[in-house]
């Protein structure tokens, strides 16, 4: 077991290492969101001190290949605070020259000068939570901005020098039609982003949407309509030169999100802040998802970890397989063999043959990947491989 | 003997029988407050949840009456469901009197009446007790009127109480002493002991509940069971006071237990008479019947690995419940299991729940069946209760099915609906009378197969819970029986086959197809579900192919949770039974079994 961890650690040295920093503040909570965040403007200085202290507890000789400030809404913090936080990260860790440094932002939370400050601070990728470019849909989602504000913020970001812009969009929304969805896509593409994340709405437990669904007050497009929306997204993005590299992610060549690819490769990452998850050398830990509790634990020198998980090698292998299958390039079998000393084809045997025969999986050029059909039925396929 | 009172509490369901029993036990100081937990007598989870008592417990209460004398009050508990009416009648025959408990808000109900009849058949003295008088909706005067006018019971003996608060309960104890007769019987006579219950103790063997009618019983006596002549030597006798209280002797008029190294329950049958070998009585006590299994179903473990455990569980259950029978069975879809016989549907449900809860084994049951008498053209007669053994229809001369005589009690306003239900269920020779104002007692001959399918559920919903019924097996009558098969993507699921009357086949086939359609999860291909008789399809439903099931978001913070969800999905799939290429969950098998949604 220990040998294995050591060997895995050695191999990981060649891989990417990401840093995620969770900013748990939002203007208000959206009806569908299950991420940990707290609504309203509040004093963030205590949180700030705590995350800096937590940051300093980590040590890694390996350079960071990506940094991602996510949330919540990081741009709820003043740009100067974000700038200083990033400086702190880059000072404490080695940071690769070409590292991808992303910032999540919501429309209308930043103006041109803020965006300029952030770009100059070193953020080189901006991820904008647009979701829809129809005001009625935005209201239904509980988003605190309009379509016009979203488009405006995208333009300002480009003006401020962000040459790597992602736009988050959602389909399968209440009252959304195929027509309104293609309009959103057309307008989003017209903003010339380098990257698109396109999520079908998932009703997560414990959200207001889940409650509305239970009460029969959440009418979502049926399966046929949702399938047509996904297919429209695939076609329109392809025509605009994007390629789908993950179940929900589309990019212009070379603009794939390095930070997220690191997750799908099931490699190492450091998570900072309440609720953030770290995974280092096969050990995964998540911090308590409560800002006050998080701060007081840090202040009192206590552990912030609430859950810890270290999978057995075979379970870690299977988890790596299902994560890897999210990407359209799939998994390189020789790499898997090197990392886990397991031959995937032999390990899954009959199951693999059956899923291949059913047209859900394909094994070609030494890579295992989901077919177009398999990408739509990823859950039942993964449930056989997990 | 003059200071003994043997009595039961009888009531409509939920009128407070268990609460009153507990209060009586508490007042007589049999348990301390610390030991007391509500509804002491219902000691199985299932009993507490359903508010019914399945296995009766008896308790001896010492009571100092106002006349200054000590009395022994034996409270004989009774099970409360139609499947167990024979056991109820045996328990009542061990008593001289009964408390007829009536809810002050609900008034006299159908089961009040049915239980009153049962008590009267056993010549019991009745003390009416109006319970829940503390409720805001209580109408004790109106209820008292019903008791005197409609039931014809004496107004003088009526007691009013709240078992919950304890109000009036002391007076009930006094009434038991003054109004109920002491037992009769000759302690010097030849031993006649009535068996009214039996339980299995893993250390001592069968513990038999008896009422000594005549004579005495001591440790060391050799006893004979009169129905089969088997002999045992008595090891221990005593009283039940929640726990067993060992004594030197039980004599005429007393209620207690006997332990005699009996390894199985099959010798100790309720209603049988025990006598002494050295000085036997000449006649057995009246009323003994062999219990008959009337409902049959196969039980399979979800996981084939649990087969041995299931066998052990059934053996253990049978130790305490001689009315359960089982033998090996097998199915292409479900593997190895057991064909089991039950007293009725409730009995089946209780056994199912006990296997799942007490033994933690996930099981699947097949559609319950009655036992048919099939005469082949060759003249050979077969008794068939399992669709798997249904002979080739071309070789059958005639099929007969069991009929029952149903006694149904309902408020008058439901009469029209009940008549329709009886006709719909192929009822014959319907007659009725008016035992009390506003109530109808209806007699009807019905096929047992219809009764176990959904008759009771329908009666309950039709009468908003006010109808109750009771039945006895009558005879076998000629029937037009067919075997209905269920096919999933053209593969026959043998465990879902059922025997049914031809006029019911289409309707049941469609019901089964519709339930399977609801319960089988969509899969990556279209699934056709068909019901067929001898190869011709009588009903059909489809399940469309699953076209999309994918998690949109999965980043660092989601990995563990999403993986666990997939692992859960994988475990769920493992628990399913695969027929052809279709995965069928346990719930689908169970849904076909259920008659109502």
């Amino acid at each position: 077991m220990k040998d294995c961890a050591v060997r895995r650690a050695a191999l990981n040295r060649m891989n990417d290492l990401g840093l995620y920093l969770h900013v748990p503040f939002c203007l208000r909570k959206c009806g569908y969101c299950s991420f940990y965040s707290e609504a309203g403007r509040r004093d963030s200085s205590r949180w700030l001190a705590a995350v800096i202290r937590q940051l300093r507890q980590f040590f890694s000789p390996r350079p960071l290949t990506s940094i991602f400030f996510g949330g919540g809404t990081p741009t709820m913090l003043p740009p100067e605070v974000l700038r200083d936080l990033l400086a702190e990260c880059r000072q404490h860790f080695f940071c690769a020259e070409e590292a991808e440094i992303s910032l999540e932002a919501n429309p209308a939370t930043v103006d041109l000068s803020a965006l300029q400050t952030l770009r100059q601070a070193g953020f080189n990728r901006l991820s904008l939570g647009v979701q829809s470019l129809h005001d009625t849909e935005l209201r239904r989602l509980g988003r605190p901005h309009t379509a016009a504000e979203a488009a405006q913020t995208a333009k300002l970001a480009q003006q401020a020098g962000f040459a790597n812009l992602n736009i988050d969009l959602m389909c399968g929304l209440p009252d959304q039609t195929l027509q309104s969805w293609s309009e959103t896509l057309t307008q989003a593409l017209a903003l010339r982003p380098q990257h698109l994340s396109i999520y079908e709405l998932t009703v997560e437990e414990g959200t207001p949407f889940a409650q509305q669904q239970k009460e029969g007050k959440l009418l979502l497009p049926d399966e046929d309509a949702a399938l047509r929306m996904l297919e429209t997204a695939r076609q329109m993005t392809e025509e605009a030169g994007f390629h789908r590299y993950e179940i929900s992610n589309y990019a212009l060549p070379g603009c794939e999100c390095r930070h997220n690819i690191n997750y799908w490769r099931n490699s190492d990452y450091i998570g900072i802040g309440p609720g953030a998850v770290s995974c280092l050398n096969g050990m995964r830990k998540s911090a308590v998802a409560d800002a006050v509790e998080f701060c007081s634990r840090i202040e009192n020198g206590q552990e912030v970890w609430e859950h810890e998980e270290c999978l057995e090698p075979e379970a870690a292998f299977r988890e790596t397989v299902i994560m890897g299958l999210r990407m359209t390039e799939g998994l390189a079998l020789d790499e898997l063999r090197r990392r886990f000393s397991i031959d995937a084809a032999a390990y899954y045997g009959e199951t693999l043959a059956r899923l291949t025969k059913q047209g859900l999986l394909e094994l070609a050029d030494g890579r295992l990947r989901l077919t177009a059909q398999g990408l739509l039925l990823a859950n039942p396929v993964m449930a056989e491989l997990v | 003997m003059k200071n003994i009172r043997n009595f039961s509490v009888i009531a409509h369901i939920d009128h407070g029988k268990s609460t009153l029993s507990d209060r009586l036990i508490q007042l007589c100081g049999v348990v301390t407050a610390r030991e007391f937990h509500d509804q002491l007598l219902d000691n199985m989870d299932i009993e507490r949840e359903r508010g019914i008592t399945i296995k009766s417990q008896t308790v001896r209460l010492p009571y100092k009456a106002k006349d200054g004398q000590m009395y022994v009050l034996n409270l004989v508990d009774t099970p409360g469901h139609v499947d167990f009416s024979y056991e109820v009648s045996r328990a009542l025959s061990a008593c001289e009197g009964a408390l007829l408990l009536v809810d002050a808000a609900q008034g006299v109900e159908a089961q009040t009446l049915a239980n009153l009849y049962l008590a009267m058949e056993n010549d019991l003295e009745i003390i009416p007790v109006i319970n829940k008088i503390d409720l805001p909706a209580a109408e004790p005067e109106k209820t008292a009127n019903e008791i005197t006018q409609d039931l014809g019971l004496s107004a003088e003996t009526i007691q009013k109480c709240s078992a919950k608060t304890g109000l009036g309960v002391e007076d009930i104890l006094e009434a038991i002493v003054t109004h109920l007769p002491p037992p009769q019987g000759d302690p010097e006579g030849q031993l006649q002991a009535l068996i009214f219950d039996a339980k299995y103790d893993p250390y001592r063997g069968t513990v038999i509940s008896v009422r000594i009618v005549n004579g005495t019983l001591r440790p060391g006596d050799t006893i004979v069971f009169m129905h089969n002549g088997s002999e045992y030597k008595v090891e221990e006798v005593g009283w039940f006071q929640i726990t067993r209280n060992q004594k030197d002797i039980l004599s005429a008029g007393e209620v207690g237990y006997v332990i005699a190294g009996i390894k199985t329950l099959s010798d100790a049958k309720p209603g049988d008479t025990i006598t002494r070998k050295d000085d036997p009585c000449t006649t057995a006590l009246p009323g003994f019947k062999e219990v008959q299994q009337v409902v049959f179903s196969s039980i399979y473990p979800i996981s084939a690995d649990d087969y041995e455990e299931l066998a052990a569980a059934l053996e253990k259950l049978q130790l305490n419940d001689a009315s359960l029978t089982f033998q090996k069975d097998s199915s292409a879809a479900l593997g190895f299991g057991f064909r089991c016989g039950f007293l009725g549907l409730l009995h089946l449900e209780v056994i199912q729940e006990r296997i799942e809860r007490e033994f933690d084994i996930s099981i699947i049951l097949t559609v319950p069946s009655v036992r048919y008498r099939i005469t082949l053209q060759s003249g050979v007669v077969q008794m068939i209760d399992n669709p798997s053994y249904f002979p080739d229809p071309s070789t059958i001369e005639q099929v007969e099915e069991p009929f029952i005589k149903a006694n149904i009690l309902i408020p008058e306003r439901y009469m029209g609906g009940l008549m329709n239900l009886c006709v719909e269920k192929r009822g014959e020779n319907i007659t009725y009378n008016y035992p009390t104002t506003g109530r109808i007692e209806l007699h009807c001959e019905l096929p047992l197969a219809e009764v176990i399918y959904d008759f009771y559920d329908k009666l309950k919903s039709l009468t908003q819970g006010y109808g109750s019924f009771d039945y006895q097996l009558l005879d076998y009558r000629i029937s037009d029986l067919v075997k209905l098969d269920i096919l999933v993507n053209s593969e026959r699921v043998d465990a879902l086959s059922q025997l049914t009357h031809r006029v019911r086949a289409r309707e049941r086939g469609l019901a089964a197809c519709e339930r399977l359609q609801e319960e089988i999860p969509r899969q990556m291909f279209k699934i056709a579900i068909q019901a067929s008789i001898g190869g011709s399809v009588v009903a059909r439903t489809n399940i469309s192919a699953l076209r999309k099931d994918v998690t949109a978001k999965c980043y660092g913070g989601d990995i563990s949770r999403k993986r666990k969800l997939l692992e859960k999905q994988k475990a769920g799939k493992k628990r399913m039974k695969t027929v052809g290429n279709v995965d069928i969950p346990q719930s689908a098998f169970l849904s076909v079994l259920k008659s109502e949604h």
Side-chain angles (χ1 to χ4, degrees):
Chain A
M1 179 70 200
K2 198 181 161 203
D3 282 356
C4 190
V6 170
R7 197 169 61 230
R8 239 186 290 162
L11 285 166
N12 278 345
R13 236 166 263 145
M14 304 178 297
N15 292 332
D16 281 7
L17 174 68
L19 175 78
Y20 176 78
L21 192 140
H22 190 67
V23 184
F25 308 111
C26 279
L27 202 52
R28 66 174 193 236
K29 290 290 288 183
C30 303
Y32 57 87
C33 177
S34 65
F35 286 102
Y36 168 64
S37 74
E38 296 187 4
R41 297 210 174 266
R42 43 185 83 208
D43 175 28
S44 53
S45 55
R46 192 177 170 203
W47 169 85
L48 198 61
V51 294
I52 289 172
R53 278 183 71 174
Q54 192 198 10
L55 192 74
R56 290 178 180 160
Q57 290 170 4
F58 281 95
F59 171 77
S60 172
R62 292 158 57 194
L64 297 177
T65 47
S66 65
I67 298 175
F68 197 111
F69 281 23
T73 308
T75 45
M76 287 283 288
L77 299 175
E80 295 72 25
V81 171
L82 292 168
R83 179 191 64 200
D84 295 348
L85 253 179
L86 178 58
E88 181 70 36
C89 295
R90 295 168 89 174
Q91 201 188 331
H92 181 72
F93 294 99
F94 298 101
C95 195
E97 191 94 346
E98 73 294 353
E100 172 193 277
I101 303 175
S102 301
L103 175 70
E104 269 182 355
N106 270 335
T109 57
V110 277
D111 57 14
L112 181 61
S113 121
L115 286 162
Q116 283 167 337
T117 306
L118 292 164
R119 180 68 192 90
Q120 275 158 20
F123 292 101
N124 53 26
R125 183 175 184 272
L126 193 80
S127 179
L128 204 56
V130 171
Q131 319 310 355
S132 165
L133 288 163
H134 278 269
D135 286 342
T136 46
E137 292 171 7
L138 288 169
R139 274 197 296 275
R140 185 69 180 82
L141 288 172
R143 301 289 296 172
H145 58 83
T146 63
E149 285 169 334
Q152 177 65 12
T153 306
K155 286 175 192 155
L156 292 178
Q158 286 159 330
Q159 208 181 318
F162 282 99
N164 192 353
L165 174 71
N166 168 58
I167 289 178
D168 276 353
L169 295 176
M170 293 174 78
C171 67
L173 301 181
D175 305 323
Q176 193 178 38
T177 63
L178 189 59
Q179 167 94 24
S180 74
W181 172 235
S182 32
E183 285 164 11
T184 287
L185 279 168
T186 305
Q187 290 167 41
L189 287 166
L191 294 170
R192 305 219 154 268
Q194 284 67 38
H195 191 284
L196 285 165
S197 293
I198 297 176
Y199 303 113
E200 187 186 353
L201 173 70
T202 308
V203 180
E204 300 275 3
E205 262 177 65
T207 59
F209 270 28
Q211 183 58 30
Q212 290 168 25
Q213 193 170 49
K214 225 165 84 190
E215 292 163 7
K217 289 177 189 160
L218 188 72
L219 296 176
L220 301 179
D222 63 18
E223 187 179 59
D224 257 354
L227 275 166
R228 278 201 295 273
M229 288 181 189
L230 289 172
E231 177 54 20
T232 302
R234 198 195 55 76
Q235 270 178 16
M236 289 179 66
T237 52
E238 191 175 286
E239 281 161 22
F242 287 74
H243 79 105
R244 182 189 191 183
Y245 69 101
E246 194 259 0
I247 285 171
S248 304
N249 285 283
Y250 302 76
L252 294 179
C255 298
E256 299 82 6
C257 178
R258 188 170 182 179
H259 184 81
N260 288 337
I261 287 174
N262 193 46
Y263 291 135
W264 299 318
R265 294 207 171 129
N266 217 7
S267 300
D268 287 0
Y269 42 89
I270 293 164
I272 302 289
V277 176
S278 296
C279 185
L280 290 165
N281 300 326
M283 173 69 94
R284 193 177 290 139
K285 300 176 176 190
S286 61
V288 57
D290 179 306
V292 175
E293 174 71 16
F294 174 85
C295 292
S296 76
R297 287 200 197 178
I298 291 274
E299 289 156 8
N300 297 319
Q302 294 166 331
E303 284 274 347
V304 295
W305 308 120
E306 197 156 56
H307 300 292
E308 292 191 6
E309 180 179 77
C310 182
L311 297 181
E312 294 296 315
E314 274 191 27
F317 161 78
R318 294 194 301 269
E319 186 185 78
T320 303
V321 168
I322 60 164
M323 288 305 292
L325 285 176
R326 294 192 64 87
M327 288 192 289
T328 52
E329 64 168 29
L331 294 136
L333 295 188
D334 57 347
E335 233 176 88
L336 271 177
R337 204 175 302 120
R338 232 179 306 134
R339 190 164 157 193
F340 296 99
S341 308
I342 295 175
D343 181 83
Y347 184 80
Y348 288 119
E350 188 80 351
T351 309
L352 206 61
R354 181 164 41 80
L355 291 169
T356 310
K357 198 169 152 230
Q358 286 175 311
L360 299 164
L361 270 182
E362 62 185 14
L363 188 60
D365 319 322
R367 298 192 79 91
L368 183 66
R369 62 174 79 92
L370 288 168
T371 62
Q373 166 89 344
L375 285 168
L376 288 169
L377 294 167
N379 284 345
V381 174
M382 290 174 183
E384 302 233 17
L385 303 175
V386 73
Chain B
M1 204 188 301
K2 70 177 178 43
N3 284 13
I4 296 177
R5 299 292 182 273
N6 298 318
F7 73 103
S8 275
V9 182
I10 53 179
H12 189 77
I13 195 158
D14 281 341
H15 279 202
K17 189 176 102 166
S18 297
T19 313
L20 178 63
S21 302
D22 291 349
R23 203 61 63 202
L24 293 174
I25 293 168
Q26 210 182 10
L27 263 181
C28 292
V30 172
V31 290
T32 63
R34 192 176 57 82
E35 291 165 328
F36 189 81
H37 59 105
D38 278 343
Q39 305 198 350
L40 273 172
L41 294 185
D42 293 351
N43 66 355
M44 280 197 274
D45 284 352
I46 306 162
E47 294 185 348
R48 279 219 197 110
E49 273 167 34
R50 297 186 173 205
I52 51 167
T53 307
I54 296 150
K55 203 71 188 156
S56 47
Q57 286 198 6
T58 287
V59 61
R60 179 179 169 117
L61 310 171
Y63 175 64
K64 187 172 186 183
K66 287 183 179 149
D67 61 12
Q69 295 188 47
M70 282 305 295
Y71 286 83
V72 167
L73 312 183
N74 286 309
L75 167 54
V76 175
D77 200 19
T78 55
H81 189 271
V82 54
D83 286 355
F84 303 95
S85 65
Y86 172 71
E87 281 83 347
V88 176
S89 93
R90 291 309 84 205
L92 291 179
S93 73
C95 303
E96 281 73 45
L99 304 182
L100 180 72
L101 195 62
V102 185
D103 185 318
Q106 310 281 327
V108 170
E109 296 277 20
Q111 247 179 305
T112 317
L113 211 52
N115 281 314
L116 176 63
Y117 287 162
L118 220 46
M120 283 173 158
E121 276 171 27
N122 283 289
D123 293 326
L124 301 196
E125 196 65 41
I126 309 291
I127 300 174
V129 177
I130 300 175
N131 188 21
K132 307 194 189 179
I133 54 169
D134 58 315
L135 289 186
E139 293 183 281
E141 294 316 314
K142 189 175 162 221
T143 306
N145 254 337
E146 287 183 347
I147 289 171
T148 52
Q149 301 291 308
D150 300 342
L151 306 185
L153 298 172
S154 152
E156 288 154 44
T157 55
I158 295 178
Q159 303 294 313
K160 291 175 188 166
C161 77
S162 164
K164 204 173 116 202
T165 65
L167 177 70
V169 178
E170 190 100 49
D171 295 341
I172 296 174
L173 288 167
E174 204 56 35
I176 291 170
V177 168
T178 51
H179 293 310
L180 299 186
Q184 308 277 316
D186 179 6
E188 307 303 321
Q190 291 148 332
L191 175 66
Q192 279 181 311
L194 172 75
I195 301 177
F196 62 87
D197 192 20
K199 283 192 185 63
Y200 188 78
D201 178 311
Y203 302 104
R204 303 302 307 274
T206 302
V207 180
I208 305 168
S209 300
V210 290
R211 157 70 195 274
I212 311 291
V213 177
N214 287 304
T216 55
L217 186 58
R218 288 184 178 82
D221 290 346
T222 299
I223 51 170
V224 179
F225 290 88
M226 291 191 72
H227 90 277
N228 67 357
S230 59
E231 296 175 12
Y232 292 93
K233 190 162 182 189
V234 176
E235 294 170 359
E236 182 183 322
V237 299
W239 311 325
F240 291 107
Q241 285 189 310
I242 305 300
T243 53
R244 290 198 296 266
N245 195 340
Q246 195 174 341
K247 292 288 147 192
D248 298 333
I249 185 169
L250 286 180
S251 73
E254 286 191 301
V255 168
Y257 68 85
V258 182
I259 293 173
I262 304 165
K263 294 284 173 280
T264 68
L265 282 189
S266 55
D267 278 340
K269 296 192 167 170
D272 192 15
T273 305
I274 298 176
T275 191
R276 259 166 50 187
K277 198 192 173 193
D278 56 359
D279 184 15
C281 62
T282 47
T283 53
L285 297 163
F288 174 70
K289 278 196 293 194
E290 288 272 1
V291 289
Q292 280 180 0
Q293 290 73 40
V294 294
V295 175
F296 301 85
S297 169
S298 298
I299 301 184
Y300 294 94
I302 295 271
S303 156
D305 303 341
D306 287 344
Y307 175 78
E308 295 299 331
E309 273 179 64
L310 177 59
L314 286 167
E315 274 168 28
K316 279 191 190 148
L317 288 171
Q318 200 180 40
L319 283 176
N320 252 323
D321 180 358
S323 50
L324 168 70
T325 60
F326 63 93
Q327 63 192 66
K328 282 182 185 173
D329 194 11
S330 72
S331 143
L334 301 179
F336 289 103
F338 296 94
R339 189 72 184 171
C340 301
F342 307 93
L343 296 183
L345 264 197
L346 179 85
H347 188 209
L348 175 151
E349 283 172 24
V350 167
I351 296 292
Q352 176 193 348
E353 287 195 32
R354 294 190 65 184
I355 292 172
E356 295 191 325
R357 286 195 203 183
E358 293 169 30
F359 299 93
D360 198 24
I361 305 171
S362 295
I363 52 172
I364 289 174
L365 279 86
T366 61
V367 179
S369 173
V370 299
R371 180 169 278 173
Y372 296 94
R373 182 155 65 203
I374 298 177
T375 310
L376 300 178
Q377 281 159 356
S378 63
V380 173
V381 176
Q382 296 178 333
M383 298 303 288
I384 299 286
D385 61 57
N386 189 338
S388 309
Y389 301 127
F390 189 66
D392 177 352
S394 67
T395 65
I396 295 175
E397 179 67 36
Q398 71 168 23
V399 178
E400 292 159 288
E401 66 176 321
F403 265 63
I404 55 129
K405 180 165 186 184
N407 307 309
I408 304 161
L409 290 152
I410 51 157
E412 196 174 21
R413 60 186 181 277
Y414 302 118
M415 184 59 178
L418 179 62
M419 288 291 276
N420 288 340
L421 179 63
C422 289
V423 170
E424 184 200 318
K425 295 297 169 190
R426 301 189 280 131
E428 296 173 7
N429 300 327
I430 302 171
T431 61
Y432 56 92
N433 57 55
Y434 297 83
T436 73
T437 324
R439 287 195 165 71
I440 286 185
E441 180 176 26
L442 183 140
H443 302 284
C444 173
E445 294 163 15
L446 285 165
L448 179 61
E450 299 287 350
V451 173
I452 67 164
Y453 187 68
D454 61 358
F455 183 81
Y456 195 55
D457 286 338
K458 287 214 160 150
L459 174 69
K460 280 280 181 195
S461 69
L462 176 76
T463 61
Q464 294 167 309
Y466 291 139
S468 84
F469 96 125
D470 186 45
Y471 65 82
Q472 301 116 34
L473 279 180
L474 212 53
D475 52 14
Y476 271 78
R477 296 183 188 177
I478 289 185
S479 173
D480 186 4
L481 194 70
V482 293
K483 183 181 169 198
L484 182 70
D485 290 320
I486 302 294
L487 294 87
V488 170
N489 271 0
S490 305
E491 293 260 354
R492 189 169 67 88
V493 188
D494 61 355
L496 291 179
S497 293
Q498 48 181 306
L499 298 173
T500 173
H501 194 276
R502 191 177 299 277
V503 301
R504 287 276 172 273
R506 209 195 94 78
E507 159 200 333
R508 292 218 180 147
L510 187 61
C513 290
E514 282 173 350
R515 272 168 217 151
L516 289 171
Q517 182 187 29
E518 273 177 31
E519 292 294 332
I520 297 176
R522 291 164 73 201
Q523 290 167 38
M524 289 180 260
F525 39 82
K526 182 177 156 184
I527 303 167
I529 303 167
Q530 297 166 307
S532 92
I533 300 170
S536 83
V537 173
V538 294
R540 173 189 176 113
T541 55
N542 294 316
I543 298 173
S544 62
L546 177 69
R547 293 159 64 202
K548 178 172 69 64
D549 181 4
V550 50
T551 302
K553 270 191 187 183
C554 190
Y555 299 107
D558 311 314
I559 297 175
S560 292
R561 194 166 59 88
K562 302 288 186 197
R563 187 197 71 239
K564 283 175 191 160
L565 284 175
L566 291 169
E567 284 169 346
K568 211 167 139 192
Q569 202 174 327
K570 183 187 191 179
K573 190 180 152 74
K574 243 190 185 163
R575 279 198 305 273
M576 293 194 205
K577 294 287 180 182
T578 307
V579 174
N581 54 354
V582 182
D583 295 325
I584 306 178
Q586 179 195 21
S587 63
F589 288 94
L590 294 179
S591 73
V592 174
L593 182 83
K594 289 231 164 72
S595 46
E596 296 275 331
H597 283 283

